Amino acid sequence: MLQGMRDDEDLGRITLAEVAQKAGVSISTVSKVLNGRQDVAAPTRVKVERLLETHSYRRTTRAAREAPLIELVFHELDSIWAMELIRGVENVAKAHRASVVLTESGTRHAPAPDWIEGVMQRRPRGVVLVFSALPAEVKQRLQSRSIPFVIVDPAGDPDPDVPSVGSANWTGGRVATRHLVELGHRRIGIITGPDDMLCSHARLDGYRSALGMAGIEADPALVRYGDFHVEGGFERALELLDLPEPPTAIFAGSDLQALGVLEAARVRGLRVPQDLSVVGYDDVPVARWSSPALTTVHQPLREMAEEAVQMIMRLRDQEPVTTRLELATSLVVRKSTAAPAS
């Protein structure tokens, strides 16, 4: 068994026996750590992994050991937005003869602590994560097994050594608001995303920039933070429409929130776009089938996911990659916006 391990592992300047000796454990314990087994005490596992990382541990037989899988990890899967990312990952995974594993774990900030144990056992070719960042321990354990990872559409500001694929959120917020300004709107409300997400603030900054460039003072009363879901968009839109001086247009930070705005307008007896113009964000398929069809900012979700998997494949082959990749956004004008009623 020991000879087999020597044949299968390449530790460069250090052997398995030396790792075990330095860590003060048996070779079988080192093997358990390598195989992602959970029956190793946490302090021991950390000690062994640090030694492996220090000595640049890499498997020479990685292709034979890894599963032909790309793991896609969300904190929630119940949205059309998530489906677009799934399709993008599947497109590239299929081209590389790999299957896609979907995992729901943790919060929008990071996967749950127990997720890393499962991925160590599954040993996918790579991991695409839809989170703001990775805890240091998770990052270290993935790197110690040479499992490449990429964050797609990061909610926050990932560390410089964490590869990520995002989109031009500031530009998206600016072009959406500028479109409404050019139609003649002056009281423009915004329902951006959660307050603790970088993309929410970037879209809000773009909104403020467009207003400032048009000489319009941003009114704090017209700003709401949402949750990117229909219900949140509906509730925040009702708050805006019930103001003493309601907006004549609302920019929603997601298409799902925009659908909530459309329903809020209906409840309040307003016609879209005659009485209220609405702009969404994402350009998911349902946007073109809403009534009226939704003017929105196209965020290339599927392409972002495809780029993330391509990046994983390049990392897997130890090819150079751009750590931060940002794809362009663009405005798609449909039927939900018009000049304000005189």
Side-chain angles (χ1 to χ4, degrees):
M1 180 177 177
L2 178 56
Q3 182 61 44
M5 284 191 213
R6 286 175 180 147
D7 291 339
D8 289 344
E9 308 292 347
D10 176 16
L11 299 178
R13 291 169 292 177
I14 194 168
T15 66
L16 277 177
E18 288 170 329
V19 171
Q21 182 180 19
K22 288 177 178 292
V25 300
S26 65
I27 294 178
S28 64
T29 298
V30 175
S31 180
K32 288 180 180 180
V33 173
L34 289 172
N35 288 301
R37 293 270 296 273
Q38 299 186 40
D39 53 342
V40 178
T44 300
R45 184 181 67 238
V46 170
K47 185 187 300 183
V48 171
E49 288 181 337
R50 284 178 178 168
L51 282 168
L52 295 173
E53 182 182 15
T54 299
H55 293 278
S56 302
Y57 167 75
R58 292 293 184 272
R59 295 181 186 275
T60 58
T61 57
R62 178 178 62 186
R65 290 174 172 274
E66 69 185 11
L69 303 171
I70 299 296
E71 183 153 348
L72 176 57
V73 193
F74 293 91
H75 77 279
E76 61 180 8
L77 288 168
D78 58 343
S79 76
I80 304 169
W81 175 86
M83 287 303 302
E84 288 298 292
L85 293 178
I86 292 169
R87 290 189 180 99
V89 170
E90 284 185 332
N91 288 345
V92 180
K94 188 182 297 183
H96 289 272
R97 298 182 179 181
S99 299
V100 178
V101 174
L102 297 179
T103 302
E104 188 173 23
S105 177
T107 68
R108 60 177 171 262
H109 299 292
D114 60 354
W115 168 76
I116 189 63
E117 302 297 344
V119 80
M120 290 291 100
Q121 294 181 18
R122 288 186 290 274
R123 296 189 183 187
R125 289 183 184 174
V127 181
V128 177
L129 302 113
V130 189
F131 297 96
S132 60
L134 280 183
E137 181 187 359
V138 171
K139 183 169 61 176
Q140 180 184 15
R141 295 189 67 185
L142 289 171
Q143 290 171 338
S144 73
R145 297 299 183 280
S146 298
I147 299 176
F149 54 89
V150 176
I151 292 181
V152 65
D153 196 28
D157 189 16
D159 293 337
D161 63 340
V162 175
S164 66
V165 181
S167 68
N169 288 291
W170 182 87
T171 300
R174 183 176 61 84
V175 299
T177 309
R178 186 175 64 186
H179 170 66
L180 294 169
V181 168
E182 289 175 348
L183 287 173
H185 293 277
R186 293 298 178 265
R187 286 192 62 76
I188 302 170
I190 180 172
I191 305 171
T192 190
D195 189 22
D196 59 353
M197 295 179 70
L198 184 65
C199 62
S200 305
H201 289 279
R203 293 170 195 176
L204 178 59
D205 287 344
Y207 157 88
R208 288 170 172 156
S209 176
L211 292 180
M213 291 174 65
I216 301 171
E217 185 175 352
D219 184 350
L222 296 178
V223 176
R224 294 291 185 279
Y225 288 93
D227 58 7
F228 289 146
H229 293 294
V230 176
E231 295 82 358
F234 175 75
E235 293 169 359
R236 301 292 85 76
L238 287 180
E239 294 174 4
L240 291 171
L241 295 176
D242 289 342
L243 289 171
E245 293 184 64
T248 61
I250 294 178
F251 165 40
S254 75
D255 288 341
L256 294 181
Q257 289 187 151
L259 294 179
V261 176
L262 294 180
E263 177 59 15
R266 188 193 66 81
V267 168
R268 289 294 182 263
L270 300 175
R271 299 166 301 163
V272 175
Q274 294 90 335
D275 304 316
L276 179 72
S277 285
V278 180
V279 178
Y281 200 105
D282 289 329
D283 194 25
V284 295
V286 72
R288 71 193 65 177
W289 299 112
S290 66
S291 183
L294 194 62
T295 293
T296 186
V297 175
H298 176 75
Q299 180 174 211
L301 295 169
R302 197 174 303 193
E303 292 85 348
M304 288 158 59
E306 290 173 347
E307 287 288 349
V309 182
Q310 295 285 17
M311 190 180 292
I312 280 174
M313 294 305 176
R314 291 193 291 272
L315 289 167
R316 180 174 172 268
D317 294 335
Q318 299 185 344
E319 296 177 5
V321 299
T322 301
T323 306
R324 298 287 182 92
L325 185 60
E326 185 176 273
L327 303 188
T329 52
S330 58
L331 185 69
V332 179
V333 179
R334 297 195 178 102
K335 302 293 186 180
S336 66
T337 52
S342 56

